[in-house]
Amino acid sequence: MRHFKLKKIDEQKTPHNFAHSPDAGKMIQQPSAMKSNPDRGKRSLSKKKLWLFRFGAVTLSVLTLLAVEGVLRLCEVGRNLHLVIPASAPVGDFTHEFNIAVEHAYFKSDLLGPETRQFQLPKPKGTYRIVVLGASTVIGFPYPAELAFPRQIEVLLELQNPDLEIEVLNAGITALNSFAIADLTTECLKSDPDLIILYAGHNEFYGPGGVSSKAMQVPPGMMEWAYWLRRLRISQLLKRPFLNNESVREDLMNALPKNLQIPLDDPIIEQARVLYEENLNSIVAITEAADVPLILSTVASNLRDQSPMRAMWPPDISMERMNEWNQLLLTGESFLIQGDYDQATDSLAKAAEICQDHARLVYRQAQCAEGVEEMAEARVLYARARDLDACRFRSPSFFADVIRIVSAEHQISLVDIEEKFNQLSPAGPGYDLFLEHVHFKFEGHRKVAQFFAEEVQQNFLNRNWSPTLVPDNNQTEELLGMIPEDSLTALTVALEVLETVPNSETLDKVRHRQHLLNEITKIYHQIDVDHREAYIDLPMDIAAAHLLAALIRTHLDRGNQEFALELAEIAVLRRPWDAGAVARLKRIKSNTP
């Protein structure tokens, strides 16, 4: 009844004196209390409905996105960016291949690799399948993938085990570092490998996602999500208006690095080391979870014949002392050129009293040590000069220590390529095994293949290794179908690399350039005149990407039918899964008398 009266008073606009009466507070509060329970019930119900609405909206959005993603895939909008895909033009019993477009999950432009070799799934009985992971050295740059050390591993193991079907799939992709390779490790498991080999470490600073890279600048913990997002067709569709539709292969040495001068005491060095170790541990965890054996490897670089690209001064050297140091260094270099190693060593030692941690000085000291046949000391100094080189295209010494530690902690098989190369080259590896800073010459590929093949044979196939079955260099070239034009192209591409910044700024650029020119001239004059002329007609970008196909066309145009047929047979030997190569061989045979 009191509630009713209050309502009536309120409707009649309560007078001011009533609001201050003794009973006003009671009468006003009581109806509020009476309504409190029903109001709370209504608010609680509202929240439930709100959360149901939110859940429904999110679910509907996710289902819509999934539906759109599915429609885009059915309509073939965008590209499949996974590593293992159905073969686009299957030959024989082959069903799958490595996807050339997988690189776009990691970088916007076209990269070199992986090798688009076809293989069979399910894996046939009696097949032993190896996947090799890494970057440009693995894919064979500047040689074609069919001449690189992964293919040579296959040839060596087949000679050792004629009763087995050996397959070595090359998943090397130029410029990738351990972030992307960890993702590729998961991807390559879909090819059902019996063993995975990892050779990687040169791109930790400048590869996409690296600590000093302009590409994939996302937090390390978000890298997997970034790869997942780039693989979505919706993501590809949204980015399409901002991309050039044509395939582009950029100058990676300029496109990727953010800073070409990273001194050895920069905190970013330790950051790179930590991330490298974390990614190696991730790769180990992925392979262990899948129960697939793994071989780790240290990576080697050209120590003796790659002079520093960027030598930096410590910040505390005065201009006066710098000039004094420079004069002593020039004097030492003059004695070095004359072959007077004792005098050169004395001058360089005096310069070291002013500043000893300078890449140019240490490199010259290494050359002096080699000149007096102090090979062990020379190797240590060459490695120190590499580490002091502020341009971080070569993996530093302590990265090899990281690989050794990870291998020991997880009891993972290790092939110590760095140490094995040091044994082959007592003063440190140089032009005997490398074309330039990190990429092998053919002999380097051959040696690395032997080291890995012997490890696989003895510790994974559990069979004896027979040195008598190892082919020599000429036999290896014949087994692989290598031709002199392959070497000419590789050397010419290496020369182009040398002309690109920062290689063009290297300390001994003239010497490096002359070496490559000498090698090119030597091989060029070993080729028949007709073959030389046909090769010269090829644009270098075509020769580097499609050498055999281009040579076949050129020789057919010149009327050299017999040699074109020989090249077509070599093309099928090198790429038996290539439907185009197989069809071309049949066509040329049918037109050859």
Side-chain angles (χ1 to χ4, degrees), residues 73-253:
R73 293 188 182 204
L74 285 173
C75 297
E76 298 184 354
V77 175
R79 290 179 290 184
N80 184 341
L81 300 185
H82 291 285
L83 178 64
V84 178
I85 60 172
S88 54
V91 174
D93 294 328
F94 295 132
T95 60
H96 290 74
E97 65 188 10
F98 278 172
N99 182 10
I100 193 68
V102 68
E103 61 203 16
H104 291 280
Y106 313 115
F107 190 58
K108 61 181 180 179
S109 300
D110 288 346
L111 303 173
L112 181 64
E115 184 181 26
T116 55
R117 174 175 181 165
Q118 294 183 0
F119 52 91
Q120 194 172 342
L121 287 176
K123 183 173 60 184
K125 187 178 180 180
T127 296
Y128 190 82
R129 182 171 291 161
I130 302 170
V131 174
V132 184
L133 296 169
S136 54
T137 304
V138 171
I139 198 61
F141 179 87
Y143 295 95
E146 53 264 29
L147 301 180
F149 77 79
R151 178 62 59 81
Q152 296 192 40
I153 293 172
E154 178 176 296
V155 169
L156 290 170
L157 290 176
E158 284 178 338
L159 291 172
Q160 297 281 332
N161 307 283
D163 59 319
L164 289 179
E165 184 68 29
I166 305 292
E167 286 182 357
V168 181
L169 308 181
N170 189 333
I173 302 177
T174 301
L176 294 195
N177 58 22
S178 56
F179 281 110
I181 292 170
D183 180 76
L184 276 175
T185 304
T186 300
E187 289 284 313
C188 84
L189 294 175
K190 300 168 189 175
S191 65
D192 192 16
D194 296 288
L195 175 67
I196 295 173
I197 295 174
L198 175 66
Y199 182 94
H202 287 308
N203 298 323
E204 296 309 301
F205 292 90
Y206 302 133
V211 292
S212 188
S213 176
K214 291 186 285 189
M216 289 290 287
Q217 293 182 309
V218 299
M222 298 295 293
M223 204 65 71
E224 288 183 35
W225 286 101
Y227 300 147
W228 175 81
L229 188 62
R230 291 175 77 107
R231 287 190 170 104
L232 290 178
R233 306 300 176 91
I234 296 173
S235 173
Q236 295 176 44
L237 182 65
L238 292 174
K239 288 190 296 183
R240 183 175 291 181
F242 305 100
L243 298 177
N244 189 332
N245 290 329
E246 297 180 3
S247 293
V248 176
R249 180 160 288 156
E250 295 188 53
D251 173 12
L252 297 178
M253 286 191 168

Side-chain angles (χ1 to χ4, degrees), residues 9-57:
I9 292 170
D10 184 63
E11 288 174 354
Q12 295 172 9
K13 297 186 179 178
T14 310
H16 184 267
N17 62 345
F18 178 77
H20 293 278
S21 68
D23 296 326
K26 296 179 182 178
M27 294 185 67
I28 292 172
Q29 291 172 12
Q30 189 172 353
S32 175
M34 291 174 62
K35 291 183 180 181
S36 63
N37 288 339
D39 285 349
R40 278 201 299 268
K42 287 178 184 178
R43 283 197 295 271
S44 177
L45 186 60
S46 235
K47 285 183 179 179
K48 288 179 182 178
K49 286 182 178 180
L50 181 60
W51 280 109
L52 284 172
F53 174 77
R54 288 173 177 171
F55 177 77

Side-chain angles (χ1 to χ4, degrees), residues 32 96 159 249 284 300 320 396 425 497 539 544 548 585:
S32 175
H96 290 74
L159 291 172
R249 180 160 288 156
V284 170
E320 181 181 357
S425 306
V497 170
L548 281 176
L585 176 59

Side-chain angles (χ1 to χ4, degrees), residues 302-527:
N302 186 343
L303 297 180
R304 195 174 72 250
D305 293 314
Q306 175 59 61
S307 55
M309 299 182 199
R310 295 289 175 92
M312 293 186 67
W313 287 96
D316 56 348
I317 301 292
S318 68
M319 184 60 68
E320 181 181 357
R321 295 291 277 169
M322 198 180 294
N323 290 334
E324 183 182 351
W325 179 94
N326 195 54
Q327 187 58 50
L328 289 167
L329 178 71
L330 291 173
T331 301
E333 288 179 332
S334 177
F335 283 125
L336 182 61
I337 292 170
Q338 298 170 31
D340 191 341
Y341 300 113
D342 291 337
Q343 292 276 24
T345 300
D346 288 344
S347 291
L348 296 176
K350 291 176 183 176
E353 292 175 3
I354 300 171
C355 175
Q356 63 179 356
D357 290 332
H358 192 280
R360 179 177 176 178
L361 170 68
V362 177
Y363 186 76
R364 297 303 186 217
Q365 289 177 316
Q367 290 178 311
C368 286
E370 184 183 3
V372 296
E373 298 186 356
E374 293 288 344
M375 300 305 186
E377 181 184 355
R379 186 173 67 247
V380 170
L381 288 169
Y382 278 129
R384 178 66 176 166
R386 182 265 318 273
D387 292 348
L388 288 169
D389 186 353
C391 182
R392 298 295 164 187
F393 281 131
R394 293 181 290 172
S395 177
S397 300
F398 44 86
F399 274 29
D401 295 332
V402 168
I403 296 169
R404 295 177 185 122
I405 290 169
V406 171
S407 170
E409 286 179 347
H410 296 276
Q411 298 183 330
I412 299 292
S413 178
L414 173 69
V415 176
D416 199 334
I417 297 296
E418 182 183 65
E419 180 56 32
K420 289 180 180 293
F421 269 26
N422 288 339
Q423 292 171 9
L424 291 173
S425 306
Y431 286 144
D432 52 335
L433 297 167
F434 289 91
L435 287 171
E436 20 85 336
H437 59 302
V438 295
H439 298 115
F440 302 135
K441 62 188 294 185
F442 187 75
E443 177 65 13
H445 279 286
R446 196 167 76 87
K447 291 298 184 184
V448 171
Q450 289 180 27
F451 297 144
F452 280 122
E454 187 171 355
E455 176 71 14
V456 174
Q457 180 75 5
Q458 293 180 334
N459 295 324
F460 293 88
L461 295 176
N462 299 313
R463 298 183 176 191
N464 292 327
W465 174 259
S466 177
T468 59
L469 294 175
V470 177
D472 62 24
N473 198 65
N474 291 333
Q475 291 170 329
T476 302
E477 290 180 4
E478 185 177 350
L479 289 166
L480 294 171
M482 185 177 182
I483 59 176
E485 289 87 342
D486 285 310
S487 296
L488 268 182
T489 303
L491 286 163
T492 305
V493 172
L495 186 60
E496 290 181 349
V497 170
L498 182 60
E499 300 295 341
T500 304
V501 175
N503 298 71
S504 60
E505 300 168 353
T506 188
L507 178 61
D508 291 343
K509 177 192 170 182
V510 174
R511 176 170 68 91
H512 301 326
R513 187 174 188 276
Q514 192 58 53
H515 165 77
L516 291 171
L517 287 172
N518 291 343
E519 291 293 305
I520 290 170
T521 302
K522 181 174 70 175
I523 295 173
Y524 179 77
H525 287 293
Q526 293 173 352
I527 300 175

